[in-house]
Amino acid sequence: GAVVSQHPSWVICKSGTSVKIECRSLDFQATTMFWYRQFPKQSLMLMATSNEGSKATYEQGVEKDKFLINHASLTLSTLTVTSAHPEDSSFYICSARNPLAAYEQYFGPGTRLTVT
Amino acid sequence: RKEVEQDPGPFNVPEGATVAFNCTYSNSASQSFFWYRQDCRKEPKLLMSVYSSGNEDGRFTAQLNRASQYISLLIRDSKLSDSATYLCVVNEMTTDSWGKLQFGAGTQVVVTP
């Protein structure tokens, strides 16, 4: 089946630094990828929709200047958390839309970010 | 009001027993429905899609009630490996037609020996 990878799987950084998370679709081309965030015991919250070759669409309340998304190719989207703060500590998960099965998404394994 | 609501549980189920739980959604225009399974500190994995006529996949049965806007999941002959959080996921058609997924917070199931 389709595989989506994320890197890194976990990262610890100091407050004020920036962290880049990569999301790759390994065996299919994904024109659309999604970035989610999940806090403990809460549901996944969509942060933004990443479109290859164009600007990402951010959900209400998500700061686009803080969470930079780049979808430079059909297999790679990156999320950069700029000037990270402890409240940004969360589980970040990307997904890629299955181009052959409407509305199915394949999820990456997630990146656990801890900001100290 | 949340778009997708689930009983958080936990549902403690003896091995071999049957467990069922529901999820309600608020947007009557929702088009597609799914159950995902999420293990602790892992990504969600698609368990099954939910069709209007109801569908079964092995020990798992999903049903959709559009009139009452809920979907259900039933697990028969529970296995220890079924212990997980089950996420109800609804696809809403939006003007941009990308079909955003709305996730419930999940129902925790704990199968005990």
Side-chain angles (χ1 to χ4, degrees):
Chain A
V3 178
V4 174
S5 70
Q6 264 184 258
H7 178 81
S9 55
W10 60 271
V11 58
I12 301 173
C13 71
K14 290 187 177 180
S15 188
T17 61
S18 295
V19 175
K20 179 185 281 189
I21 303 170
E22 294 186 349
C23 176
R24 294 181 185 272
S25 58
L26 298 184
D27 56 1
F28 66 100
Q29 293 183 330
T31 55
T32 303
M33 290 184 174
F34 302 88
W35 286 97
Y36 296 85
R37 180 167 55 181
Q38 186 178 32
F39 293 105
K41 297 190 183 299
Q42 295 187 23
S43 59
L44 274 74
M45 296 299 296
L46 179 64
M47 298 176 66
T49 302
S50 171
N51 303 294
E52 187 269 335
S54 64
K55 291 182 179 180
T57 303
Y58 290 82
E59 295 299 300
Q60 193 172 12
V62 178
E63 299 175 56
K64 62 181 181 180
D65 294 329
K66 178 171 179 64
F67 298 99
L68 303 178
I69 291 172
N70 186 296
H71 194 154
S73 76
L74 287 171
T75 59
L76 173 65
S77 175
T78 61
L79 169 68
T80 301
V81 183
T82 62
S83 187
H85 291 288
E87 57 264 31
D88 298 324
S89 299
S90 187
F91 191 44
Y92 291 85
I93 307 175
C94 73
S95 71
R97 189 187 188 91
N98 183 345
L100 300 179
Y103 310 126
E104 276 192 29
Q105 293 181 20
Y106 296 106
F107 286 85
T111 296
R112 193 159 299 279
L113 170 63
T114 301
V115 185
T116 61
Chain B
R1 183 184 173 188
K2 293 181 182 177
E3 301 281 347
V4 180
E5 297 211 46
Q6 294 183 251
D7 182 339
F11 284 66
N12 295 297
V13 186
E15 195 175 4
T18 297
V19 61
F21 42 88
N22 295 338
C23 148
T24 58
Y25 60 94
S26 61
N27 187 343
S28 59
S30 299
Q31 297 292 319
S32 307
F33 308 88
F34 310 91
W35 283 105
Y36 278 73
R37 171 197 169 124
Q38 186 174 26
D39 293 295
C40 188
R41 303 174 82 84
K42 299 283 189 180
E43 78 278 18
K45 293 186 185 295
L46 179 64
L47 180 65
M48 59 195 303
S49 301
V50 186
Y51 304 117
S52 297
S53 55
N55 49 301
E56 189 175 304
D57 183 359
R59 297 180 294 106
F60 298 85
T61 300
Q63 292 197 314
L64 166 65
N65 185 316
R66 284 190 185 272
S68 301
Q69 293 183 206
Y70 77 84
I71 67 174
S72 64
L73 181 67
L74 181 145
I75 307 174
R76 285 186 301 277
D77 187 23
S78 298
K79 311 291 185 190
L80 296 177
S81 57
D82 294 334
S83 297
T85 296
Y86 291 84
L87 307 177
C88 174
V89 183
V90 175
N91 184 302
E92 299 184 348
M93 289 302 294
T94 59
T95 54
D96 58 24
S97 74
W98 284 329
K100 297 176 183 177
L101 296 183
Q102 294 286 350
F103 285 81
T107 295
Q108 186 183 8
V109 172
V110 179
V111 182
T112 55

